Amino acid sequence: MNRSDELVAASVAAGVDVCFANPGTTEMPLVDAIRRSDGMRPVLVLFEGVASGAADGYARISGKPASVLLHLGPGLGNATANLHNARRAQSPVVAWVGDHPDWLVDHDPPLTSDIEAIARGTSRWVQRVQSAETMGTIAREAVQAALGPESGVATLVIPMDFQEAVVPDGAATASDAAPLAPDFVALDSSDVDALAGKLRGASSPLILLGGPGTATDCVAAGASIAESVGGLLLLERFPRYLRRAPGLPAPARLQYLPMMARAQLMKHDLVVAIGVEPPSCFFGYAGERPELTAEGAELLQPCLGGQDPSALLAALVEAIGASGSPSQVAGKSEPFVRSGALAADSACAVLASLLPEDAIVVDEGITSSIPLYPTLEGAAPHHYLACKGGSIGFGTPVSTGAAVAAPGRRVVTWVGDGSAAYTLQSLWTQAREGLDVTTLVLVNDRYAILQLELARGGFPIEEQSLDLTDLGRPTIDWVKLAQGFGVPAEAVTDTDGLHDALGRSFATPGPTLITIPVE
Amino acid sequence: MNRSDELVAASVAAGVDVCFANPGTTEMPLVDAIRRSDGMRPVLVLFEGVASGAADGYARISGKPASVLLHLGPGLGNATANLHNARRAQSPVVAWVGDHPDWLVDHDPPLTSDIEAIARGTSRWVQRVQSAETMGTIAREAVQAALGPESGVATLVIPMDFQEAVVPDGAATASDAAPLAPDFVALDSSDVDALAGKLRGASSPLILLGGPGTATDCVAAGASIAESVGGLLLLERFPRYLRRAPGLPAPARLQYLPMMARAQLMKHDLVVAIGVEPPSCFFGYAGERPELTAEGAELLQPCLGGQDPSALLAALVEAIGASGSPSQVAGKSEPFVRSGALAADSACAVLASLLPEDAIVVDEGITSSIPLYPTLEGAAPHHYLACKGGSIGFGTPVSTGAAVAAPGRRVVTWVGDGSAAYTLQSLWTQAREGLDVTTLVLVNDRYAILQLELARGGFPIEEQSLDLTDLGRPTIDWVKLAQGFGVPAEAVTDTDGLHDALGRSFATPGPTLITIPVE
């Protein structure tokens, strides 16, 4: 047994059971230890941004922390964009980054860089293994740091000599310790009562849920409290996870454009943000102020001290005397499917009409996503995952990890063509692992959101500025790209074609990709 | 005129004439300014790692600094691996990273992260624009920082409000200042004389050239000095740039494996490292010591104070009384091309037999590259670019930038299948810009280098550990991937087929991809 075995065993004991890996020479002892481990599933990816996004998706669906195995600073760099998204989604992700042996790193060989600096851009906890003896302990600390009370990314840098070090016979290891859970701070009942009083006393209170506060029990409690105090429940713009089904509350989300978000918030004199930061502009347009709440509104963040959103909301239901079962819930609706031309809204309707029960929908459609959330409201019960962090290249990796976490359930990736081009290597891992992922690429041959932003910013829309937002020269053949990575694919041109193609995909195990033309 | 125009104009004046861009909302004013500029060529990429690699390749071939335009911390993260390679190659690259407006960033909107932290992993200079008035000055400082005396990556973070700010009428701007050059420290003639004395006095001196010290004049001078003092000229393992032609010196490179590198260095009592750090292990294997030089050998680094390697070597030629024209040079050789089975060595021979004059060869073949450098020695005059930094995903982006810098010349990417999968989006930009790039993908359906490393590390080669190094489940169809991005492609199966396909590619403007099966 070497210290890599100990790290893996300690992490498995703490609750980590999957590793999305793109290893290199400095991770070979860890690769071998993962092979020997019974409890850790290795999943190979072709690019590190797939690993970090998949870990995020796995954590969102399984409720467990996930690990990634990365090669030195550059490997961590490649993982950074989706680690950013995981951080913003408060998904527990442990990043194991191999480094040169301790005795070499001061000699600055070519692959050396400041790994900790890169990690600090995304990680709430960054440590370097300082001695082989601490390997099990620090592996467990990394999992706890990822779980939080506020969960996120924990990066552990592991010099290769410590990975290889042999564990002396009879040495104690952390491999049979208990699973870890978030280390929440206990609620103070007087704080709960005070908050209940504030909610009762406000003329128009708003409960804003986000991060872990969009869990199913939290949304039900929040909706019930809001009904009880005559207020409103709102979700953050891009929730990390949301269970949607007839009979569950169907709260609106905070709007993306500041003007529309302000209109949602303007009448509320009290905003209670739970699991989420105070609402501010997503981007800063000239002439805006940063806060979205009404001027003079009171803003409370009752979980800032490390309290559990779920426990707080349950306690608030009690304190307020709410029913816990909100009366305003989603119904079941038959989406209106037109035969004919495809556009984002008609494609959403076809999807809503066919969505398998318990499917997972990963949303990175950007401008093509506008009709997705409302259209799916009355569809079969499903799970909805959005990109809170805003970093592009999110959808296909997150779907990959979600599918690893949910065998037997269908995962649907709703993704714009520009977005899909960042981390398309996900498709290969979907084929390799036989994952039931249906990737719907919304093709408009442009970064439509940037063309909107150019127009909004008052910039003249001339050919040359459009050129830096244009994906049509040459057009990307997504069918060939998918096939190149081993994923069956087809292009559809109308709603009937999409209906048939989706039906085939949902009936066939393994991944599929379908391209859908949109404006 | 706004401050974005000023930044672009100041950078053009300083010598930057290309921008590899993957912009987002926080860079729209810069996108518009680049459109308005006459002197800055914008090149759109689908993924930021393509931008940073292309800037590196452009700088290596043009001798000029190149810029990249990136979206916030995640965009910078995606560019990090190839910024690492640019840093190690001492390629002057200016990274412009848009950020939220100053008034919003403290409110921590979703796309906020510690951009400077991420940048410090790769950049020798990191600054944030602190006021609109300083935009032109700091843009110029960024270019100077990239040029050095030691060149590398300079990252400038540019809040969006400052990008949009209008330049008052009559305000002075830096747009008509002179082009910049590396800010070398002058040579001290007594230091040169002392170094010449050391070289003459050593029993077996070795001159090791790397970084900017592999420029054509440096190699000629180094070879002449080595001949004159009875010593040896050696190049670093993976030179950033090397001109190769009959009649030019053909020095060996430092070997990759420590044992072989030690054998190269063991008899040398003096090592003079110019433009490059002292030779150390590339990876640290148990039982090694970090230094590769013989124990007791003297090591000198005469350019550490910021002196120009080219000027130093010219002065050393004078001080030693060397001819400046080395007698041992490469001849012209006819490569031996067998008809029959393809392997890395036979594919190299076919390439050497057909290589167009003045072609640029970008080497990221990893295990398939072993025969490339020696086989090309007698080929037509060409330029050779290797991946000093060791971060994978280098080849196709660097070729893209090299081709932008060298219209009318053929660029050949020699790249392993594992490597090519990191940044395959490069192919789209090659098609978009009509670049004359021939991509040769060496396909062995595995990370062969890692399987070697597993074996070398004494790990049992069992199916499950091989699985994390295996690319054959499913096999990747590179022809379809290339076609998907608009690049014509074909697979060859024997040397005659490669000969014909290469001939077609070299005769046809624009990009091509050819897959070559290897072991």
Side-chain angles (χ1 to χ4, degrees):
Chain A
M1 184 182 189
N2 65 23
R3 295 295 178 181
S4 290
D5 296 303
E6 186 185 6
L7 177 141
V8 173
S11 302
V12 169
V16 181
D17 59 8
V18 69
C19 180
F20 297 95
N22 188 261
T25 298
T26 50
E27 293 78 37
M28 286 300 107
L30 283 166
V31 164
D32 190 59
I34 292 169
R35 172 189 69 78
R36 280 198 296 270
S37 159
D38 287 330
M40 180 78 65
R41 175 175 177 182
V43 179
L44 180 61
V45 299
L46 296 178
F47 177 73
E48 295 87 345
V50 179
S52 50
D56 184 1
Y58 186 91
R60 293 186 195 208
I61 293 301
S62 71
K64 293 184 284 194
S67 71
V68 294
L69 180 60
L70 307 170
H71 186 42
L72 294 145
L76 177 62
N78 281 338
T80 289
N82 275 326
L83 288 178
H84 169 87
N85 286 330
R87 161 187 167 235
R88 286 302 188 176
Q90 297 185 42
S91 289
V93 174
V94 179
W96 295 322
V97 182
D99 196 6
H100 294 298
D102 228 34
W103 53 263
L104 180 59
V105 79
D106 289 344
H107 287 76
D108 197 28
L111 269 162
T112 308
S113 60
D114 188 343
I115 301 173
E116 285 91 333
I118 299 169
R120 273 188 284 271
T122 55
S123 303
R124 50 186 300 104
W125 181 97
V126 182
Q127 292 286 331
R128 171 179 287 269
V129 178
Q130 299 289 349
S131 71
E133 293 69 31
T134 59
M135 189 76 98
T137 316
I138 201 164
R140 203 168 156 82
E141 285 174 16
V143 178
Q144 186 65 67
L147 286 166
E150 183 173 338
S151 46
V153 181
T155 298
L156 182 59
V157 183
I158 316 167
M160 192 177 173
D161 46 346
F162 301 144
Q163 295 175 37
E164 293 176 312
V166 172
V167 179
D169 285 341
T173 69
S175 56
D176 53 0
L180 293 173
D183 190 18
F184 292 120
V185 170
L187 295 174
D188 180 321
S189 62
S190 65
D191 290 345
V192 174
D193 291 340
L195 179 57
K198 289 267 192 187
L199 281 162
R200 275 197 222 94
S203 66
S204 182
L206 177 88
I207 298 172
L208 179 71
L209 298 182
T214 62
T216 311
D217 63 320
C218 293
V219 173
S224 174
I225 294 162
E227 284 182 7
S228 187
V229 299
L232 183 73
L233 173 66
L234 200 64
L235 303 184
E236 66 177 328
R237 294 181 191 93
F238 302 115
R240 71 182 300 273
Y241 171 83
L242 191 64
R243 174 79 174 150
R244 307 185 81 198
L248 293 182
R253 300 181 300 165
L254 185 67
Q255 292 281 331
Y256 173 76
L257 289 176
M259 187 177 62
M260 298 171 76
R262 281 187 213 293
Q264 289 177 295
L265 298 175
M266 63 183 295
K267 70 165 191 177
H268 296 288
D269 58 334
L270 172 67
V271 174
V272 181
I274 297 176
V276 65
E277 57 281 358
S280 64
C281 294
F282 196 95
F283 285 118
Y285 306 136
E288 293 282 353
R289 66 183 178 88
E291 304 87 356
L292 293 173
T293 45
E295 292 199 56
E298 186 175 11
L299 179 74
L300 300 173
Q301 297 178 265
C303 292
L304 265 194
Q307 292 85 354
D308 179 6
S310 176
L312 173 73
L313 284 155
L316 270 180
V317 167
E318 288 268 327
I320 283 174
S323 71
S325 301
S327 59
Q328 291 171 43
V329 297
K332 170 104 184 79
S333 67
E334 286 304 319
F336 174 68
V337 182
R338 298 166 299 176
S339 264
L342 269 175
D345 55 354
S346 57
C348 285
V350 175
L351 174 63
S353 72
L354 293 176
L355 195 69
E357 177 137 354
D358 226 18
I360 297 161
V361 178
V362 177
D363 180 4
E364 196 192 13
I366 319 288
T367 50
S368 297
S369 284
I370 294 168
L372 183 68
Y373 185 80
T375 307
L376 289 181
E377 182 174 313
H382 65 276
H383 313 260
Y384 173 82
L385 278 50
C387 181
K388 173 167 180 180
S391 177
I392 301 305
F394 158 91
T396 65
V398 167
S399 288
T400 304
V404 170
R409 285 154 62 190
R410 180 56 52 173
V411 180
V412 176
T413 319
W414 180 266
V415 61
D417 51 355
S419 298
Y422 286 77
T423 43
L424 69 157
Q425 301 95 335
S426 310
L427 297 170
W428 182 79
T429 296
Q430 292 174 13
R432 181 180 182 83
E433 303 289 330
L435 302 176
D436 297 336
V437 180
T438 303
T439 302
L440 303 177
V441 182
L442 292 312
V443 177
N444 56 15
D445 291 329
R446 57 198 178 107
Y447 293 125
I449 184 77
L450 296 187
Q451 295 186 354
L452 288 176
E453 294 289 353
L454 276 171
R456 193 206 48 73
F459 299 109
I461 303 299
E462 301 187 10
E463 193 177 340
Q464 198 183 339
S465 59
L466 285 183
D467 198 51
L468 273 184
T469 60
D470 162 70
L471 303 175
R473 180 166 62 83
T475 55
I476 297 172
D477 185 335
W478 283 98
V479 171
K480 283 199 167 139
L481 292 177
Q483 292 170 342
F485 281 131
V487 170
E490 61 183 301
V492 299
T493 55
D494 58 21
T495 53
D496 292 341
L498 175 61
H499 190 278
D500 294 349
L502 266 184
R504 281 191 293 275
S505 174
F506 292 161
T508 310
T512 325
L513 180 143
I514 300 167
T515 66
I516 302 171
V518 296
E519 279 306 301
Chain B
M1 183 181 188
N2 66 23
R3 296 295 178 181
S4 290
D5 296 302
E6 185 185 5
L7 177 141
V8 172
S11 301
V12 169
V16 181
D17 59 8
V18 69
C19 180
F20 298 95
N22 189 261
T25 297
T26 50
E27 293 78 37
M28 285 301 107
L30 283 166
V31 164
D32 189 59
I34 292 170
R35 172 188 70 77
R36 281 198 297 269
S37 159
D38 287 329
M40 180 80 64
R41 175 176 176 181
V43 179
L44 180 62
V45 299
L46 295 177
F47 177 74
E48 295 87 345
V50 179
S52 49
D56 184 1
Y58 186 91
R60 293 187 194 207
I61 294 299
S62 70
K64 291 183 285 192
S67 72
V68 295
L69 180 61
L70 307 170
H71 186 42
L72 294 146
L76 178 62
N78 281 339
T80 289
N82 275 327
L83 288 178
H84 169 86
N85 287 330
R87 162 187 167 236
R88 286 303 190 174
Q90 297 185 41
S91 290
V93 173
V94 179
W96 295 322
V97 183
D99 196 6
H100 295 298
D102 228 33
W103 53 263
L104 180 60
V105 80
D106 288 345
H107 287 76
D108 197 29
L111 268 163
T112 307
S113 60
D114 188 343
I115 301 174
E116 284 91 333
I118 299 170
R120 274 188 282 274
T122 55
S123 302
R124 50 186 300 104
W125 180 97
V126 182
Q127 293 286 330
R128 170 179 289 269
V129 177
Q130 300 289 350
S131 72
E133 293 69 31
T134 60
M135 189 76 100
T137 315
I138 201 165
R140 203 169 155 82
E141 285 175 22
V143 179
Q144 186 65 66
L147 286 166
E150 185 173 336
S151 47
V153 181
T155 298
L156 182 59
V157 183
I158 316 167
M160 192 176 173
D161 47 346
F162 300 145
Q163 295 174 39
E164 293 176 311
V166 172
V167 179
D169 285 340
T173 69
S175 56
D176 52 1
L180 292 172
D183 190 18
F184 292 120
V185 171
L187 295 174
D188 180 321
S189 62
S190 64
D191 291 345
V192 174
D193 291 341
L195 179 57
K198 288 268 194 188
L199 281 163
R200 274 197 222 95
S203 66
S204 183
L206 177 88
I207 298 171
L208 179 71
L209 298 183
T214 62
T216 311
D217 63 321
C218 293
V219 173
S224 174
I225 295 163
E227 285 182 7
S228 186
V229 300
L232 183 73
L233 173 66
L234 199 65
L235 302 184
E236 67 177 327
R237 293 180 191 93
F238 302 116
R240 71 183 300 272
Y241 171 84
L242 191 64
R243 173 78 174 151
R244 307 184 81 198
L248 293 181
R253 299 182 303 165
L254 185 68
Q255 293 281 330
Y256 173 77
L257 290 175
M259 188 175 63
M260 297 172 75
R262 279 188 214 294
Q264 289 177 293
L265 298 176
M266 63 182 294
K267 72 164 189 175
H268 295 287
D269 59 333
L270 172 66
V271 174
V272 181
I274 297 176
V276 64
E277 58 281 357
S280 65
C281 294
F282 197 95
F283 286 119
Y285 305 138
E288 293 282 351
R289 69 183 176 86
E291 305 88 355
L292 294 173
T293 46
E295 291 198 57
E298 187 176 10
L299 178 73
L300 299 174
Q301 296 178 265
C303 292
L304 266 194
Q307 293 84 355
D308 178 6
S310 177
L312 173 73
L313 284 156
L316 270 180
V317 166
E318 288 267 328
I320 283 172
S323 71
S325 300
S327 58
Q328 292 170 42
V329 296
K332 171 106 183 78
S333 67
E334 285 305 319
F336 174 69
V337 182
R338 298 165 300 177
S339 263
L342 267 175
D345 55 355
S346 57
C348 286
V350 175
L351 175 63
S353 72
L354 293 176
L355 195 69
E357 178 138 355
D358 226 18
I360 297 161
V361 178
V362 177
D363 180 4
E364 196 192 13
I366 319 288
T367 51
S368 297
S369 285
I370 294 167
L372 183 67
Y373 186 79
T375 307
L376 289 181
E377 182 175 311
H382 64 276
H383 313 259
Y384 173 83
L385 277 51
C387 181
K388 173 167 181 179
S391 177
I392 300 306
F394 158 90
T396 64
V398 167
S399 289
T400 304
V404 171
R409 285 154 61 189
R410 177 58 52 173
V411 180
V412 176
T413 320
W414 180 265
V415 60
D417 50 356
S419 299
Y422 286 77
T423 43
L424 68 157
Q425 301 94 334
S426 310
L427 297 170
W428 182 79
T429 297
Q430 292 174 14
R432 181 178 182 84
E433 302 289 330
L435 301 176
D436 297 336
V437 180
T438 303
T439 302
L440 303 177
V441 182
L442 292 313
V443 177
N444 55 16
D445 291 329
R446 58 199 178 106
Y447 292 126
I449 184 76
L450 296 186
Q451 295 186 353
L452 287 176
E453 295 288 354
L454 276 170
R456 193 206 48 72
F459 299 111
I461 303 299
E462 301 185 10
E463 193 178 341
Q464 198 182 339
S465 58
L466 284 184
D467 199 51
L468 273 185
T469 60
D470 163 69
L471 302 175
R473 179 166 63 82
T475 55
I476 297 172
D477 185 336
W478 282 99
V479 171
K480 284 198 165 141
L481 291 178
Q483 291 170 343
F485 281 130
V487 171
E490 60 182 303
V492 300
T493 55
D494 58 21
T495 52
D496 291 342
L498 177 59
H499 190 280
D500 294 349
L502 267 184
R504 280 191 294 275
S505 174
F506 291 162
T508 311
T512 325
L513 181 143
I514 301 168
T515 67
I516 302 172
V518 296
E519 280 305 302

